[in-house]
Amino acid sequence: MNRLLHILVVTIVSVLATSCEKELDFKYHYIEPLTVIEGELTPLGVKVGITLTTPMDEPMNRTRLTDAVVTLEDITSGETTVLTPDDEGFFYDPSPGVAGHDYRLVVERDGCHYEAETTMFPPVSIVGLEFNWIKMPYDHVAVLQGQFIDNSDGNDYYWVKLYRNGEIYQWGEMDDRGAVDGILTYFTMTTRMDTDEEEDDSVLFDGDVMTAVVSQITRPMHDYLEALQNDSNGPAMFSGDRCLGYFIASSPVSDSIVFHPDEIPYYN
């Protein structure tokens, strides 16, 4: 882990040492709103949210659409389930996903057809979480590290989401090329030691609970998330008519750590 921390420090300092600035003048053209489908299958069931994109000059509209026919097909077993909207506007069914099975999500709405296929992954095992203070040119920063066991010997992909007191804090995607003896390490910069100089979206206070949620995902889902990190809509995950969104089938696992700044060790 010390070697990984050293690599992190060198990388961060290198990025800080270089910068560029360019002004870009974008002209946005109006297009008809696109359907956005966000589907997730877990051991707790399947939940699908359907919305529309919002034009750049209008307030964000996250109203979920319920005028659709949504079905989940277990390709492996041959079973098909019709999802029904719940009180929050999600299409839902409590039937758990089965690890190793292939699934197809089909959405029919307003004369359009969308479908996506994916594989259900088993849970990973989280080894643990820990903080370290790392000296940066401007201050000490608390770096959160999480370790979990990689599911196989190669070509695996993961989605790591971090929550602060139950609210999303950060997220990122990764693959297993950096695994050492079957263990993958995820690390991210969180709060500065001088909280007066910190932004609200990253500051941590004594007693805050940080929770890491890890899900194994497919390569297309990894590429989709990577594109989102780069301010792109990402590769199309649905076939049929044009839409945005994703379909994931996984078994999320979580672990939590309480932030106590006076108890965090310093990395030398």
Side-chain angles (χ1 to χ4, degrees):
M1 183 173 290
N2 286 339
R3 182 171 65 86
L4 291 171
L5 276 172
H6 175 73
I7 294 173
L8 173 64
V9 173
V10 172
T11 301
I12 293 173
V13 172
S14 298
V15 171
L16 291 173
T18 61
S19 64
C20 62
E21 183 176 338
K22 180 182 291 186
E23 293 185 5
L24 300 177
D25 184 16
F26 289 103
K27 182 178 181 180
Y28 294 99
H29 300 277
Y30 176 81
I31 64 171
E32 290 295 326
L34 294 173
T35 298
V36 181
I37 304 170
E38 298 171 283
E40 182 176 14
L41 174 63
T42 72
L44 299 179
V46 60
K47 183 169 71 173
V48 180
I50 304 175
T51 56
L52 293 176
T53 58
T54 305
M56 289 295 299
D57 57 351
E58 295 182 14
M60 178 68 71
N61 183 2
R62 295 293 295 169
T63 302
R64 297 186 186 94
L65 307 175
T66 57
D67 59 340
V69 177
V70 182
T71 57
L72 178 69
E73 302 174 14
D74 185 331
I75 299 173
T76 305
S77 70
E79 298 179 3
T80 298
T81 303
V82 178
L83 311 186
T84 56
D86 62 13
D87 293 339
E88 297 180 282
F90 289 102
F91 287 86
Y92 173 75
D93 186 86
S95 303
V98 179
H101 282 209
D102 296 322
Y103 290 89
R104 179 185 296 116
L105 178 67
V106 179
V107 176
E108 305 274 356
R109 180 183 178 274
D110 197 25
C112 295
H113 176 93
Y114 318 95
E115 65 177 67
E117 296 181 7
T118 192
T119 298
M120 178 81 177
F121 287 108
V124 301
S125 296
I126 297 180
V127 177
L129 302 173
E130 70 174 23
F131 281 104
N132 279 272
W133 287 118
I134 291 184
K135 183 69 173 74
M136 301 301 293
Y138 51 87
D139 196 0
H140 280 86
V141 176
V143 172
L144 177 61
Q145 302 168 84
Q147 288 190 320
F148 57 96
I149 298 176
D150 185 27
N151 267 339
S152 70
D153 296 331
N155 299 318
D156 285 334
Y157 305 91
Y158 300 92
W159 188 6
V160 181
K161 291 179 281 188
L162 300 178
Y163 294 83
R164 173 182 54 188
N165 302 323
E167 300 292 332
I168 191 67
Y169 181 78
Q170 293 179 10
W171 62 267
E173 78 291 334
M174 63 187 300
D175 58 46
D176 62 358
R177 287 177 295 178
V180 178
D181 297 328
I183 302 293
L184 270 170
T185 300
Y186 176 87
F187 44 75
T188 184
M189 298 174 65
T190 61
T191 190
R192 294 172 58 161
M193 184 176 290
D194 184 359
T195 56
D196 291 337
E197 298 295 328
E198 191 58 279
E199 300 292 335
D200 289 342
D201 60 353
S202 57
V203 66
L204 297 181
F205 297 107
D206 190 16
D208 281 351
V209 178
M210 295 295 291
T211 300
V213 179
V214 183
S215 302
Q216 186 177 354
I217 57 178
T218 61
R219 172 65 184 271
M221 185 66 189
H222 170 276
D223 293 347
Y224 174 83
L225 293 172
E226 186 175 54
L228 289 184
Q229 293 275 39
N230 293 307
D231 298 323
S232 168
N233 289 328
M237 295 194 68
F238 285 83
S239 60
D241 292 289
R242 185 186 179 193
C243 71
L244 305 178
Y246 62 87
F247 175 42
I248 179 177
S250 193
S251 306
V253 294
S254 64
D255 194 13
S256 298
I257 184 173
V258 180
F259 181 74
H260 291 308
D262 294 339
E263 299 176 7
I264 297 176
Y266 288 81
Y267 171 74
N268 296 317

